[in-house]
Amino acid sequence: MQYFRPTSLADALAIKADHDVTILAGGTDVYPVRTARRAWGDPAHRPVLDITAIPGLRGITEEPGGWRFGALTTWSDLAAAGLPPLFDGYRRAAREVGGLQVQNLGTLAGNLVTASPAGDGIPNLMALDAVVEVAGKGGTRTLPVQAFSTGYRSTALAADEIVTALIVPKLHGARSTFLKLGARKYLVISIAMVAAIVVTNEAGTITAVRIAVGACSAVAQRLTALEAALLGQPLGQAAGLVTAGHLADLAPIDDVRASAAYRLAAAESLVRDALTDLAATAARRAA
Amino acid sequence: MLDRPVLPTVTLTVNGTDRMVAADPFASLADTLREGLGLTGTKIGCDAGDCGACTVLMDGAQVCACLVATAQAEGRAITTIEAEDPLVDRLRAAFLAAGAAQCGICTPGMIMAAADLLAHKAAPTRREIEDGIGGVLCRCTGYIKIVEAIEAVARGANAFAPVAEAGAAVGARIARADGLPKVQGTDRFGADFAPEGALWMRAVRSPHARARFTLGDLSAVKAAHPGLEAILTAADIPGANSFGIFPTIKDQPVLAPGLVRYRGEAILALVGTREAVEGLADAALPITWEVEPALIGVDAALAEGVTPLHANIPDNVLTRGYLETGDIAEGHRLGTATAEGRFRTGFVEHAYIEPEAGYAVRTKAISSEAGTGSREEIAWDDSSDRIEVTACTQAAVMDQEEVARVVGVSMAQVRIIPTACGGGFGGKLDVSIQPLIAVAAWLTRKPVRIVYSRTESMASTTKRHPSQIQARMSADAAGRFTAYEMTGDFNTGAYASWGPTVANRVPVHATGPYKVPHVRNATRAVHTNEVPAGAFRGFGVPQAALAGETLIDDLAERLGIDRWAIRRINAIDHGDRTPTGQILYASAGLPQCLDSVKADYDRLMAGAAAHNAMGGRTARGVGVACMWYGCGNTSMSNPSKMRITLARDGRLTFLNGAVDIGQGSSTVLLQIAADALGLPTAAFDFIVGDTDRTPDAGKTSASRQTFVSGNAAKLAGRDLRAKILALANAGPSARLALDGHRLTVEDGEASRVIDLSVLASEADIVLAGEGEYDPPTTALDAKGQGIPYATYGFAAQVAEVEVDRLLGTVKVTRILAAHDVGRAINPTLTEGQIHGGIAQGLGLALMEEYLPGRTENLHDYLIPTAGDMPEITIHLIEDTEPEGPFGAKGVGEPALVATAPAILGAIRHAVGVRMTEVPVLPHRLWAAMQGREAAE
Ligand SMILES: Cc1cc2nc3c(=O)[nH]c(=O)nc-3n(C[C@H](O)[C@H](O)[C@H](O)COP(=O)(O)OP(=O)(O)OC[C@H]3O[C@@H](n4cnc5c(N)ncnc54)[C@H](O)[C@@H]3O)c2cc1C
Ligand code: FES
Ligand code: FES
């Protein structure tokens, strides 16, 4: 089996264009998949394109247009970074992905590309209105995360492309939270999760709000009806405005972790909890 | 495809030293450390990031070495458990002193995670410690002593375990006798070593639950893959192609002969170079499957007209268990209140962190030193060859019997050498790898090793029996139980394994540790096309306790009696009669257990009431449950034999055949033997479990080693002591001291020195003591009457939980555990057993469910992590067992039984729903709460 470890993006793109390779970043999805296949007698593996030796792909930088998260930025990098409250939710997710060992290896881009319905990063990126920067043989393009994540374990990434960064536009005065529900404390895959971001004016009225729910549909979803309903409402009363109808577009499934009905009800509770959380931090800040 | 690719060389900086190693760049760092550099302190429990056993530091930060490509580790500073580092040293000492390493398989990963934590945060809070080790699973300790050990290092406390003086070992908290290598990472588990050049084996397993198969031309496959030495099939098994726990039920094939009965059953074994056996895809093998409808679940297996799994068992009922005393109808008539219910539990996986591993070697009966001829001459007559199996196990002598049977040789030709065992809990009582590697080594005449993958271990080895129990219980107005009646079906899977034991143990224990005059309990063990269910901590008793304890809560509710009080009223006491007709004359400490938790129970009840009065998001609840458990095999002889030798040079050796699976038998038996002899524990060398050297101690199961082997150890110590005293003509209270070959016997004023080096003896061993013990039991009659066990362990546990009223999540906040252990030979180890049992009970109650094909890894099969454990308060009750060594009895299994029912009781107290199915996953509790609301 071939193993490529290029030291420039150009080389990596050339390899990607020529070979059917598996990109390897933190390996926290690639290795478990390999192990699961091997366990039932399937040892074959595509050639590997290890992108971790490419300089400049790791790290968080503030740019005029927004915050740039290099594709190799790890969960631990995110958790440790000094970022505005807009990122409190995403950072909370960073501390709840797997355990520390996984957070130290796993990358933000890898989580997005894996495109698991239970990927903790994805609802956060949706709430953050993140843009995915991808490079391919034709150059670099960007696309909104909603357009990037196309379905159950599928993305809009073309065969010759590599994700180079996630870019999050600034949102002045925003606060955020993330709530994850699982059946144990650490090393647990979400049964349901919610990422929420709000901006309020001085009167405490919601002037911007974005809420996304994960693990309740093939791809995480923004609750646009709810967002519209909350706009212009006092944050302190937002939790009380949530109705089941606001979650009607979700399509959770029954699996070993939970029933569909439960997921929906839990998501509704989590959305209220997230709004209550945000109202409480707002009140604390005001005090 | 090349079977042996040329591997590139990488330089890894490990523990400060640059090491060159040839490795596949995509091979995991864990694999390269272990197989390439021989640094086997880094363990592999799952190879998928889920268990943390492989935790190492990379540039000072903890990572799973199984997720790091070897190429990615180049140029980074790697720190492993083998490091020489002051902080790691302090953690090692603290883990040893606190009893934080039981089986020790998680210990290297835990210590590395803790080192990362403490290097970055010198004084962490408890919560931060849990965060720091949250990615490492431990199945033995319940994490309590691990957290304590890390706290001790953070505090800068000096870690030391007491060293016991002669005669003062019993009751002392000495460090594990086998603990040092565990904290150093040098202990050798099944996958940690093998002879140079050993071949590898991989079993090819059925993806179907029930199917017939035919094999095409395997010789062509072999020819195409020069690295393959052999492809073994059922036809190659030299002896009988069958094994099983009971001499009369050898029903499980080593390799399936054309028919598989469960998903995960082995059909072929590939033997060859590692690259060859791992690189050959199952899809490339000429296997033609003919899938048949599988019988999944007991109801399917018991349906009319189905094709049975085994021709000789037409109704799929493997065994029935039965107990009857009094008149059940009369008992219910005497009751003022009657409660009944149906209960269901699923498969539960042992989830020991060490998957099965080991190697086998075919050896010459005549040692090569004997020099009786040239090699060729010896090889010529190989009928007396021997087969040696070095593997993790709980039952060396049973392995010896099974291996002899499948290889077709005598018992004397088989040697079993147990490695350190990275957790067992019943799952390593059955053979797994042993017949496979023994047959392969026998046929190829080369050493053969195997390491099960996590999924292979989970899919192919035994589980806890799923149960369907229907029970009915009555009590009179004063709360006295008058009748208990149950029928239980236990899904024993495709093969018998320990099914009969479960079917027999449950009727005896199902009423719980209470006085019940009228009882009728009936069980069945039923074959299905699922993974075999076997032995797992408690042998069916935890399942039965869920039913019984729930009905007791029902009766308490109906009669308006407090749940603690109704248990206290009925608690079995000295002089009481059990449902088998046995009178408990001594060591029946349940009343004391209950009394010891009463004040805290009242306080928690008041706290819950106050909390709930505020009507917040969470509801708090308190539950209580009791248990009992007979130590040793049910109504069967289960002897143990121990031996202590004193050599000419003064070497004192304890030959102990009882395998220590982490629970601490090596230490406890040593403490008993040492005090019986009158020399300090530090004076002993010990040899554990080697069937060529140690007498048969029986298996490590049924909570029998402390009690049964403990008695044998005591007798062996006494025997040797008597011989020494006779030699010195000294009285019984004489004091012994051993200094090299000089053995001093001090008897009051008189003192005599025995020079061992001049004692007359043909062999090196100049004195030896032996002890043998078989617990007194009697057979059970057709109605289950008799004396099934010589002694019983008892416990009462109280659980406090908080339930999220909207999400249905449960957090167990506190467990009070009062256990009558007779005598705690080593309180640190006893507490460790209780902590670990509680963790498993919590898992059973709230999260663990093995679903073949769906939760067959540690990602989807959830066991408690460090953050899931409650605060635990232990009360050790010592109601001396006169039949036990120094008053002791077992605690291994009792620790688990009461926890799940106590948690269920607490959930019910909190939110008013009576859960009858475990695990109580959030969605199940939520659905039950919804149902209750709808009903109101
Ligand atoms: C024990 C454990 C627990 C976990 N728990 C959680 C959890 O709680 N929540 C959660 O969301 N996830 C969890 N994960 C999954 C995982 O950690 C994350 O999804 C992680 O962020 C993936 O990043 P990585 O760098 O490790 O990806 P890799 O494994 O290296 O790659 C993942 C996928 O992304 C592709 N890829 C990676 N980088 C790029 C790129 N730059 N461009 C294009 N393709 C790319 C790879 O080809 C591969 O298909 C867990 C994993 C483990 C092992
Ligand atoms: S072996 Fe690496 S996490 Fe389990
Ligand atoms: S001591 Fe932790 S798994 Fe055994």
Side-chain angles (χ1 to χ4, degrees), chain A residues 1-5 22 24-36 38-46 48 50-53 58 76 95-96 98-105 180-189 191 254-270 272-273 276, chain B residues 24-28 46-50 52 55 58 61-64 66-72 76 113 116 127 130-132 134-137 202 205-207 263-264 278-283 453 455-456 459 617 806-809 847 851 854-856 858-868 921-923 926:
Chain A
M1 194 202 77
Q2 277 176 299
Y3 189 96
F4 301 99
R5 194 159 197 256
T22 296
L24 176 68
T28 63
D29 281 316
V30 167
Y31 277 92
V33 167
R34 177 193 73 148
T35 296
R38 276 192 175 187
W40 290 99
D42 177 8
H45 204 283
R46 285 193 296 178
V48 170
D50 176 349
I51 58 171
T52 59
R58 182 168 177 181
S76 294
R95 284 187 298 268
E96 294 192 19
L100 280 173
Q101 296 96 323
V102 169
Q103 294 159 21
N104 286 337
L105 292 172
K180 166 172 176 172
L181 172 65
R184 70 176 173 187
K185 179 71 192 290
Y186 302 108
L187 296 170
V188 69
I189 300 304
I191 294 171
D254 282 322
D255 69 6
V256 295
R257 289 194 259 274
S259 65
Y262 172 74
R263 282 200 159 93
L264 210 51
E268 193 181 322
S269 295
L270 291 176
R272 283 202 192 92
D273 290 349
T276 307
Chain B
D24 175 356
F26 189 52
S28 75
C46 68
D47 214 14
D50 298 317
T55 300
M58 191 154 79
Q62 57 176 302
V63 297
C64 293
C66 70
L67 301 178
V68 175
T70 299
Q72 294 178 333
R76 318 282 297 268
D116 176 24
R127 173 69 197 278
E130 288 172 5
D131 284 349
V136 191
L137 299 178
R202 179 170 84 77
R205 296 184 179 277
S206 168
R263 172 185 161 91
E278 289 182 354
L280 183 54
D282 287 7
S453 71
T455 293
E456 182 172 28
R617 173 73 171 264
L806 296 180
L807 297 175
T809 47
M847 58 183 86
L851 301 166
R854 297 207 279 168
T855 60
E856 58 190 20
L858 294 177
H859 202 64
D860 298 310
Y861 186 87
L862 303 184
I863 66 170
T865 67
D868 298 303
L921 292 168
H923 71 100
W926 174 82

Side-chain angles (χ1 to χ4, degrees), chain B residues 278-556:
Chain B
E278 289 182 354
L280 183 54
D282 287 7
L285 294 163
I287 307 165
T288 312
W289 292 102
E290 194 187 315
V291 180
E292 296 184 354
L295 299 176
I296 303 297
V298 162
D299 293 340
L302 293 175
E304 285 292 318
V306 297
T307 312
L309 272 90
H310 301 274
N312 61 333
I313 306 178
D315 60 356
N316 286 322
V317 177
L318 167 66
T319 3
R320 291 180 159 82
Y322 190 72
L323 179 146
E324 186 181 337
T325 183
D327 173 349
I328 192 66
E330 172 68 6
H332 287 307
R333 256 196 309 280
L334 291 171
T336 310
T338 297
E340 59 190 311
R342 285 167 182 276
F343 302 86
R344 195 199 152 267
T345 68
F347 280 114
V348 184
E349 157 66 19
H350 303 88
Y352 28 76
I353 304 301
E354 180 204 24
E356 293 73 5
Y359 66 87
V361 187
R362 179 173 178 161
T363 58
K364 288 282 142 208
I366 310 154
S367 76
S368 53
E369 299 102 278
T372 46
S374 72
R375 259 176 198 284
E376 295 83 89
E377 269 172 324
I378 294 169
W380 216 86
D381 170 31
D382 53 16
S383 59
S384 60
D385 278 7
R386 301 191 75 206
I387 185 83
E388 291 185 3
V389 178
T390 304
C392 57
T393 181
Q394 286 182 245
V397 176
M398 277 170 42
D399 292 357
Q400 189 184 11
E401 288 165 7
E402 303 275 36
V403 166
R405 178 181 166 86
V406 302
V407 177
V409 296
S410 71
M411 280 278 280
Q413 283 169 274
V414 180
R415 179 182 186 185
I416 304 291
I417 308 169
T419 63
C421 183
F425 318 113
K428 291 176 183 168
L429 278 168
D430 300 64
V431 289
S432 53
I433 60 171
Q434 293 86 351
L436 285 168
I437 51 177
V439 165
W442 185 260
L443 295 177
T444 61
R445 298 170 185 268
K446 291 182 183 162
V448 176
R449 70 183 295 200
I450 194 168
V451 179
Y452 273 4
S453 71
R454 167 58 51 188
T455 293
E456 182 172 28
S457 169
M458 290 182 74
S460 69
T461 69
T462 63
K463 302 283 166 283
R464 178 183 298 290
H465 285 69
S467 66
Q468 287 175 199
I469 293 173
Q470 192 170 353
R472 198 157 172 251
M473 186 172 196
S474 296
D476 66 17
R480 285 183 304 249
F481 300 151
T482 55
Y484 188 85
E485 156 180 40
M486 68 87 79
T487 54
D489 283 333
F490 290 80
N491 178 349
T492 203
Y495 297 102
S497 179
W498 293 84
T501 307
V502 169
N504 290 323
R505 207 172 246 278
V506 169
V508 174
H509 289 87
T511 56
Y514 306 107
K515 291 170 278 194
V516 193
H518 305 284
V519 179
R520 189 170 68 200
N521 297 332
T523 55
R524 292 187 291 192
V526 181
H527 278 306
T528 64
N529 285 117
E530 294 179 85
V531 62
F536 190 166
R537 230 172 174 173
F539 285 105
V541 178
Q543 294 96 306
L546 282 167
E549 294 292 322
T550 303
L551 295 189
I552 292 173
D553 284 356
D554 289 342
L555 292 174

Side-chain angles (χ1 to χ4, degrees), chain A residues 192-211:
Chain A
M193 57 185 143
V194 173
I197 293 174
V198 288
V199 185
T200 50
N201 62 17
E202 263 152 45
T205 303
I206 298 175
T207 57
V209 58
R210 304 185 208 132
I211 299 169

Side-chain angles (χ1 to χ4, degrees), chain B residues 682-693:
Chain B
F684 287 79
D685 284 340
F686 50 92
I687 293 169
V688 178
D690 179 337
T691 56
D692 266 12
R693 303 169 76 183

Side-chain angles (χ1 to χ4, degrees), chain B residues 471-688:
Chain B
R472 198 157 172 251
M473 186 172 196
S474 296
D476 66 17
R480 285 183 304 249
F481 300 151
T482 55
Y484 188 85
E485 156 180 40
M486 68 87 79
T487 54
D489 283 333
F490 290 80
N491 178 349
T492 203
Y495 297 102
S497 179
W498 293 84
T501 307
V502 169
N504 290 323
R505 207 172 246 278
V506 169
V508 174
H509 289 87
T511 56
Y514 306 107
K515 291 170 278 194
V516 193
H518 305 284
V519 179
R520 189 170 68 200
N521 297 332
T523 55
R524 292 187 291 192
V526 181
H527 278 306
T528 64
N529 285 117
E530 294 179 85
V531 62
F536 190 166
R537 230 172 174 173
F539 285 105
V541 178
Q543 294 96 306
L546 282 167
E549 294 292 322
T550 303
L551 295 189
I552 292 173
D553 284 356
D554 289 342
L555 292 174
E557 192 174 278
R558 281 190 209 157
L559 296 167
I561 301 175
D562 173 75
R563 291 170 297 157
W564 179 91
I566 198 169
R567 288 173 169 84
R568 184 65 178 84
I569 291 167
N570 292 286
I572 225 162
D573 202 343
H574 292 229
D576 285 333
R577 182 183 165 282
T578 73
T580 72
Q582 180 176 0
I583 310 287
L584 299 180
Y585 293 104
S587 197
L590 183 61
Q592 291 153 270
C593 289
L594 277 164
D595 292 348
S596 74
V597 297
K598 179 63 163 66
D600 281 337
Y601 169 78
D602 288 343
R603 197 172 48 73
L604 294 182
M605 287 290 282
H611 177 95
N612 296 340
M614 299 185 319
R617 173 73 171 264
T618 61
R620 196 179 285 177
V622 180
V624 56
C626 301
M627 62 73 55
W628 65 328
Y629 198 78
C631 299
N633 295 5
T634 311
S635 288
M636 268 203 284
S637 165
N638 62 125
S640 175
K641 205 169 175 181
M642 294 277 146
R643 184 173 153 86
I644 305 171
T645 60
L646 197 47
R648 192 173 296 286
D649 60 1
R651 217 161 9 92
L652 182 64
T653 307
F654 183 25
L655 296 141
N656 165 10
V659 188
D660 193 326
I661 56 173
Q663 91 285 25
S665 59
S666 290
T667 311
V668 164
L669 298 179
L670 178 64
Q671 286 176 275
I672 292 169
D675 277 9
L677 172 60
L679 282 169
T681 50
F684 287 79
D685 284 340
F686 50 92
I687 293 169
V688 178

